[in-house]
Amino acid sequence: MSADRKVTDDPTTWSPATQLVHGGTLRSQFGETSEAIFLTQGFVYKSAEQAEARFKNEDPGYQYSRFANPTVSMLEERIRLLEGAEDSRATGSGMAAVTAAILSRLSAGDHIVSARALFGSCRYIVEDLCPRFGIAATLVDGRDLDAWKDAVRPNTKAFFFETPANPTLELVDIAEVSKIAHAAGAIVIVDNVFATPMLQRPIEHGADVVVYSATKHIDGQGRCLGGLVLASNAFVKDYLHDFLRQTGPAMSPFNAWVMLKGLETLPVRVNAQCASAAVIADVLAAHPRITKVLYPGRDDHPQAAIARKQMTGGGQIVTFDVDGDKATVFRFLNALAIARISNNLGDSKSLVTHPATTTHQRLKPEVRQELGIGDGMVRLSVGLEAVDDLVVDLQSALDAAFR
Ligand SMILES: *Cc1c(COP(=O)(O)O)cnc(C)c1O
């Protein structure tokens, strides 16, 4: 502890864990300890004059929960502090956040470059939806800096990628790709779900906009959908604010309250899940029936140097290839006693996914092959169970699959 370090009531003097417990709290006249749920659609005014002033932006305060709501504001401020962003907005789901970040900024005639290794719905937005509205899209191998450079056109307005990507855990070098984007006058939008705000701070590496599915680690216990967009004041003012206010993908105040409580325990949960994921990745890598383990925290990850540069931990997702066909992998999944079969992730419960037949089923077989998503691939989202139980569960299920 530094002797001259001071903490004041200014939350920017607090460490991240403290910001996540206290940041953004707005106490009502009752002085409640836990944040209040303002489950209201609208607000009343003391006078017609006040209503007029509020609509002219001359009187600070709330009008309607599609625009803003006190519980949602608390969440937005808490995550904004953690991320070190100028502004933030919450949305009803992660996909609403991704869609708003992209469509609020781009118009017909513009061009977006995106990594091809994406969550299935993100890929739909870029590959199918954008072109329907006259926004050209180019998908590149996100690991290849020359591919990003070569994809730039005079009308390129944005780069978009996930790092680590779902489910292959491919990484994109945020700093290098941001340099290419900025030289071309484009902004960088990063989907930071897999890294979580605890392990990677994209804005510090050059990203302009960060999006989250708060549904995942920020809730962390599988209850509510939610999304977050973090960006500069200028981006929110010029693009995002009106898009969200007028199109209406607002987060429910109840969901915002669940997410606020989720943020309070996020560092504790993510640290524990990462520690277990690292143990499990090593156990799987040593198993004779596992042909490949992809984990950004291991030295044998193809981009381990990038992981060390921009992440402070390997994450809680481990992807691995079982040495067998679809029937073998299904026997393995069906034999698990603790880890549950699901397409979700970031939960306190360990969840396993077979991407080829679920989350990435929509992709053409050749696209799956290009991304390295084979029939043997399994994605494991490591939960908060005792790691010894998870290791025994995985080993026993592998034994059962190959019996
Ligand atoms: C889940 C997920 C999303 C979408 O979030 P929802 O809350 O389900 O809408 C977007 N990107 C990534 C990487 C995800 O894992």
Side-chain angles (χ1 to χ4, degrees), residues 93-96 98 119 121-122 162 166 191 193-194 213-216 225-227 344-345:
S93 71
M95 284 321 303
V98 171
F119 179 69
S121 298
C122 292
E162 293 167 16
N166 177 25
D191 180 332
V193 167
F194 270 50
S213 166
T215 312
K216 311 293 166 52
L225 298 180
N344 209 359
L345 60 95

Side-chain angles (χ1 to χ4, degrees), residues 10-12 19-20 23-24 73-89 201 203 212 228-231 233 263:
D10 172 1
T12 61
Q19 291 173 333
L20 287 173
S73 300
M74 287 192 251
L75 172 67
E76 290 168 339
E77 177 59 8
R78 193 166 284 184
I79 188 83
R80 188 198 69 74
L81 280 167
L82 176 71
E83 206 80 23
E86 286 177 5
D87 206 350
S88 72
R89 287 289 188 277
R201 299 164 62 84
I203 290 173
Y212 288 104
L228 294 158
V229 185
L230 296 115
N233 286 326
L263 284 181

Side-chain angles (χ1 to χ4, degrees), residues 156-225:
T156 304
K157 292 283 163 53
F159 280 17
F160 174 62
F161 56 85
E162 293 167 16
T163 181
N166 177 25
T168 53
L169 306 184
E170 270 180 35
L171 306 182
V172 175
D173 187 325
I174 303 170
E176 291 304 317
V177 170
S178 296
K179 280 185 207 153
I180 298 168
H182 295 155
I187 60 157
V188 175
I189 305 170
V190 177
D191 180 332
N192 202 37
V193 167
F194 270 50
T196 83
M198 302 317 306
L199 305 180
Q200 183 168 273
R201 299 164 62 84
I203 290 173
E204 287 179 0
H205 299 282
D208 302 284
V209 180
V210 178
V211 291
Y212 288 104
S213 166
T215 312
K216 311 293 166 52
H217 311 81
I218 292 176
D219 174 326
Q221 294 177 67
R223 298 160 294 194
C224 295
L225 298 180

